[in-house]
Amino acid sequence: MPSAIHVPSVPDRLTRLPFSRADLRLLDAIGQCGDLAEAARRAGLRAPAAQRRLDRLDQATGLRLTLRDARTARLSSAGARVLVAGRRFFRQVDQAVQTEIYGRGTEALNAPRILNIATAEPLMEDLVEDAADTLGVLLSVSHDTPRQVLRQLAGYRVDAAHTWGLSALSHAVDRTVRTYDVLDDPLWVTLPLGHPLAGRDTVSLADLREDHWVSEAGPQAEVLVSRVYQAAGLTPPARIQVTGASVARGMLRRGDAIGLGSPACPAVFSPSLVRRSLVERPRRAAGLLVDPAVVPSALAEQLAALLTARCLSRFAEQHGDMLRDPWWADWLRGQRAALERRTDAAARSLQAPPALPDESVQVDVEDLHLLHAVADHGSINRAAAVLSISQSALTRRIHRLELRLGAGLLLRSSRGTDLTAPTRQFLARLAGFEAELLTVGLAGAGDALEPLEPGGSTQRRPPRAPRGGAVRPGRAAPERTAVRPAVAGRS
């Protein structure tokens, strides 16, 4: 889908795309294994050749993409951003080939081999092997707070985000994403066994205002407990300790505070704790946000359904005592029925065969350069002169591309040779993809993106233009402490 980004100027050295699909495969291999020799082997190179290619990429982009010594290599923050933005760019190219040149639907995408996903829920760790077995995709998972998960997606560092908010997630980030519901997630309260209200089946938020609470921070740095109280029209408790999810669970286990839980939250088990329903029935929305240019809708639907199934299974296994409450029993039955419908719909969406050509016939940067030259200079003759090759040589190269793709790109007549209308339409869409890649992937505009208040559906918003804090081309981005991802399916 075309980008709406306006780029007022692009440095001369970046007017030609600085990396190819093969370059991205090398960066991807480095991100997966961290060993330079092994990464080179996976990319089909010798280690010295890989070193030279990485040096060339640093020079071409003006960014330090990797941190290397004699044996090891890992992606810098700029390298991780370029990898995700570059993967998105080539997926957009593949989609445009399908829609403009072949005339197929906009969902003509194969599933990515590895899906980079950020999550605010440790439940994702239970999913990685199932995703590899049932969906055929490896999940490279990083864990962070709900706010930082959204920032990673907004900053083009991951392909998908699994997170939650206290309202629908359709306006969670300021870029083009598609949102899939995971769970309409009711909240309960966790109390020490000796609490005065522990003997009730249902308690009210109003009766708990004087207690000492522990709470995690949600998207936009909101305090979960405070927001729940405000949504119920109540003044938040005076004593709330805001901390990370793991520390909060420890405090609950020791009985130092009371807190909120839900089917999607990690369970806190202790003989000294009880879980009670709340009269106000507060909820939070858990969802999966994906980059639609990278993640096909069929895969996203299946992954969201897999997340929901895991949440419901965990709740039934670990909180069976709550199912004695008719409200929770009815809720679980309704969620399972909805999940069955979603699973059937996701299975039907996979019945169409993959539409993309295999890797050997994908369009790469050299092909794009040739087509751009013809489009920019109006004819084969003038484009050949600019490229410093003969007209016949340029025509032969484009003809080989036509044979590889199995589609016509040139109009040949007595008046000369020109690009077909579908090819020109393809290049028109390509201009938007290139602008986005240069602005977000190479100039670092994603570093300045702030997520909006989470508001589930498709949204289309262009990334913001670079601000003063954006990394300028030619200057490496500052390093940040990165969460080491866990990749499913690796031995």
Side-chain angles (χ1 to χ4, degrees), residues 406-489:
L409 304 175
L410 296 179
L411 278 175
R412 299 170 177 84
S413 68
S414 57
R415 299 170 56 183
T417 305
D418 199 359
L419 297 177
T420 64
T423 306
R424 290 191 175 277
Q425 183 63 31
F426 164 74
L427 291 175
R429 293 189 62 191
L430 183 65
F433 307 153
E434 291 175 343
E436 180 186 75
L437 175 65
L438 296 175
T439 303
V440 180
L442 299 176
D447 290 338
L449 290 174
E450 288 285 347
L452 301 180
E453 172 66 18
S457 59
T458 303
Q459 69 181 40
R460 293 193 58 196
R461 293 185 175 194
R464 299 174 187 169
R467 299 178 185 169
V471 180
R472 288 176 292 177
R475 184 171 300 178
E479 286 303 304
R480 298 176 182 171
T481 302
V483 180
R484 185 174 180 83
V487 180

Side-chain angles (χ1 to χ4, degrees), residues 147 150-151 154 171-174 220 449-453 464:
R147 176 176 176 148
L150 293 176
R151 284 182 60 86
H171 299 289
V173 291
D174 194 15
Q220 204 65 14
L449 290 174
E450 288 285 347
L452 301 180
E453 172 66 18
R464 299 174 187 169

